[in-house]
Amino acid sequence: TDGIYVVSDAETHNPVVISAEEATTIDGVTSLSTSDLELPEGTELPEMPYGLFSFRIDTLTVGETFHVTFYFPDPDTDLTDAQWYKYNSAAGSVINCTDQIEIFPVERKILLSITDGGKGDQDGTVNGIIIDPSGPAFIKEVTIDDIVAFFNDSVNAGTIKGKGTVPLIAKANLLAMRTLLETVEYLIEQGYDQLACFILSRASLRSDGMASPLVDFVVGEAVPEFNGMIQDLVEGFCN
């Protein structure tokens, strides 16, 4: 049917119905896996369980805003906390365009608004053409329990160790970091959020790979990810 397209998403392979307003024809409707994206090494992506959906529209009035609806028939689909990320192949980047969607969780659909030449239009030019590879994304909020579990697993795997050439000092530093984490965990449980955030900031400074303002307690290949988790919690919980 004109203006209605059914594709299988690239990750779960379930059908997704894409409908264009006023039965406008859109071309090149395809699904993309996140593994297909050409991104700089080390680029972190949010969880995109349905991959991305790409299409091209050539029949717009210059500068026009266009609306596309994505409907997910699978009854297990939960879009409640969905965000929307777009891929720019020319820049080799992904951007958060959640401000361009409206979510209808009960109906399992997302309404996407795109303006010719605006944010999310891959060619970035006001020319009556919209190119849009994008899809729903989910950001998992990090908890102190996640951090403690990651720390313990990494210590057991040998990818986080206490810092120090003398075994006794290394052991003491590892214990000091574990104590910081357990203190944060306790303070949050007791409702002392402000104090917990202060201790959490100390844990971040003690694992950031820098000699100042505080010397690190821990070293190892998993420490950058560990420190990133702490910073995510500081940003999401403390700010």
Side-chain angles (χ1 to χ4, degrees):
T1 304
D2 286 345
I4 300 178
Y5 306 83
V6 180
V7 297
S8 296
D9 77 65
E11 304 295 347
T12 67
H13 308 294
N14 286 320
V16 177
V17 180
I18 302 173
S19 61
E21 63 179 354
E22 299 175 358
T24 301
T25 300
I26 58 180
D27 298 318
V29 180
T30 58
S31 55
L32 297 171
S33 170
T34 53
S35 62
D36 296 327
L37 307 184
E38 296 183 4
L39 297 168
E41 186 176 351
T43 300
E44 292 187 10
L45 287 175
E47 182 183 355
M48 301 187 76
Y50 311 108
L52 298 88
F53 306 96
S54 181
F55 56 83
R56 176 186 175 103
I57 309 164
D58 293 295
T59 56
L60 297 177
T61 301
V62 172
E64 182 181 353
T65 297
F66 184 77
H67 305 284
V68 181
T69 299
F70 297 82
Y71 170 61
F72 298 79
D74 181 1
D76 292 330
T77 302
D78 183 2
L79 301 173
T80 305
D81 298 318
Q83 299 188 31
W84 197 263
Y85 273 69
K86 298 191 177 185
Y87 169 59
N88 187 315
S89 59
S93 63
V94 290
I95 58 173
N96 189 331
C97 293
T98 306
D99 57 346
Q100 294 179 288
I101 64 170
E102 186 175 358
I103 303 172
F104 302 88
V106 175
E107 294 89 346
R108 300 191 301 279
K109 69 179 184 180
I110 292 176
L111 176 65
L112 170 66
S113 301
I114 320 165
T115 300
D116 176 33
K119 181 181 178 182
D121 180 9
Q122 183 166 276
D123 67 10
T125 305
V126 182
N127 57 2
I129 300 172
I130 284 178
I131 302 173
D132 181 78
S134 60
F138 297 84
I139 310 296
K140 182 181 183 297
E141 293 187 1
V142 176
T143 68
I144 185 60
D145 292 338
D146 294 330
I147 294 173
V148 170
F150 181 84
F151 176 81
N152 289 333
D153 289 345
S154 298
V155 169
N156 291 335
T159 53
I160 288 182
K161 303 176 182 179
K163 184 175 182 179
T165 54
V166 177
L168 187 61
I169 293 176
K171 184 176 181 179
N173 282 337
L174 189 65
L175 178 61
M177 177 57 75
R178 177 173 277 115
T179 302
L180 286 177
L181 298 178
E182 291 176 350
T183 301
V184 171
E185 197 170 30
Y186 172 79
L187 291 171
I188 290 176
E189 287 176 356
Q190 298 302 312
Y192 297 111
D193 294 351
Q194 188 172 355
L195 184 55
C197 288
F198 173 77
I199 302 298
L200 197 61
S201 68
R202 301 295 95 180
S204 177
L205 291 173
R206 291 291 191 177
S207 59
D208 63 2
M210 301 177 66
S212 63
L214 297 176
V215 177
D216 283 2
F217 280 151
V218 290
V219 294
E221 62 187 83
V223 169
E225 184 175 354
F226 170 66
N227 183 261
M229 293 176 71
I230 294 175
Q231 292 185 36
D232 287 344
L233 183 56
V234 169
E235 183 176 341
F237 177 73
C238 299
N239 294 336

